[in-house]
Amino acid sequence: MHVRFGIPTMAAMAFLVAAATGTALAQIDFPPLPNPSFEETAEGVPATAWQIANWGPAASKGSVSRDDSVAHLGDVCLRTEAQDDQARPGVFTKLPLPAQRYQLRFYARAHKGTQALVRAYLADHYGPARPVGQDWTEIIYRFTLERPLAQAEINLQYFSGRPGVLSLDDLELKALPPVTISLMPDARPQEQRPGLLYASANANYLREHPADWAKRGFTGFFISYVMHDWKTDV
């Protein structure tokens, strides 16, 4: 048994991109991210306006603390640490956001000599996990909020699935201009028009290699993390 599916060729994708048109960005009023570099603190709170959480099981062990030894630009950063393979420690804040396209940018790094995964929750959905090494890495997510939210949550979390350390610093949230896609007739001769690339997935692979794909979950069997967000990437 084979599953047959198609994706546009690079030429077809280029044609679609060429048909995309941007609209001038209107003035969008929304509050800035509070304490985006985690410099401000209060007694018992690593960073004011940000709350600590662990998105792992209740029994998992993780922590969040201030770290003044490896800050990206300022004096401190936040250090998240998982003590077991199920902990997903991190921080979150909430703010009102109108319906709009946004870009969330921040910097992340793992402990010296290691790698880690970071994941962000963006108002109403998760973005894909991103790998980082021991050097500060710029992480960018773009997402579309289809409806206004009075309490839109932004959270950042350690997502490696093993004990380790992830440092976070210097967030920025900004509005992006809306994008509209227009269908345009293709004037090229038929033989020059791009088609689809097809691939076959042998269902016996599921039976013969269960340990491999089970580690990645259902989404990992086909195309894992290729698309960030159907609303913004298509």
Side-chain angles (χ1 to χ4, degrees), residues 127-231:
R130 301 286 176 81
V132 296
Q134 66 179 18
D135 298 320
W136 284 108
T137 302
E138 181 184 54
I139 304 295
I140 293 178
Y141 289 100
R142 296 183 179 93
F143 64 102
T144 299
L145 189 59
E146 301 287 357
R147 58 186 178 86
L149 291 177
Q151 292 289 304
E153 179 178 323
I154 305 291
N155 82 52
L156 308 179
Q157 57 185 259
Y158 177 93
F159 196 67
S160 299
R162 60 177 182 271
V165 172
L166 174 74
S167 298
L168 303 166
D169 209 351
D170 296 327
L171 286 80
E172 177 192 61
L173 179 67
K174 69 177 184 179
L176 297 176
V179 172
T180 59
I181 302 296
S182 300
L183 295 179
M184 300 176 62
D186 192 342
R188 291 171 293 183
Q190 183 65 42
E191 62 273 12
Q192 296 180 10
R193 298 180 185 181
L196 295 176
L197 293 176
Y198 288 94
S200 296
N202 190 342
N204 289 328
Y205 176 84
L206 295 173
R207 181 187 63 193
E208 297 166 357
H209 302 87
D212 295 336
W213 60 264
K215 291 178 182 178
R216 302 190 300 270
F218 178 77
T219 59
F221 174 61
F222 288 103
I223 305 175
S224 184
Y225 296 140
V226 171
M227 302 295 290
H228 166 211
D229 182 352
W230 284 105
K231 293 180 292 185

Side-chain angles (χ1 to χ4, degrees), residues 23 28 62 64 79 82-83 97 122 141 152 161 178 206 234:
T23 304
I28 300 295
V64 178
R79 171 190 172 103
Q83 281 85 47
L97 291 179
L122 311 164
Y141 289 100
L206 295 173
V234 173

Side-chain angles (χ1 to χ4, degrees), residues 59-121:
S60 62
K61 296 181 179 180
S63 63
V64 178
S65 59
R66 293 171 67 80
D67 189 346
D68 61 4
S69 65
V70 293
H72 176 243
L73 291 179
D75 295 325
V76 300
C77 65
L78 284 189
R79 171 190 172 103
T80 68
E81 182 171 4
Q83 281 85 47
D84 57 49
D85 59 5
Q86 292 186 307
R88 287 160 46 196
V91 292
F92 71 93
T93 191
K94 294 183 179 181
L95 68 165
L97 291 179
Q100 174 68 29
R101 290 181 67 235
Y102 294 95
Q103 175 178 289
L104 177 68
R105 183 181 69 175
F106 60 93
Y107 291 83
R109 57 162 287 174
H111 191 62
K112 185 176 181 180
T114 67
Q115 292 186 326
L117 291 177
V118 60
R119 187 166 77 156
Y121 184 78

Side-chain angles (χ1 to χ4, degrees), residues 3-9 195-201:
V3 179
R4 185 176 173 86
F5 61 94
I7 58 175
T9 63
L196 295 176
L197 293 176
Y198 288 94
S200 296

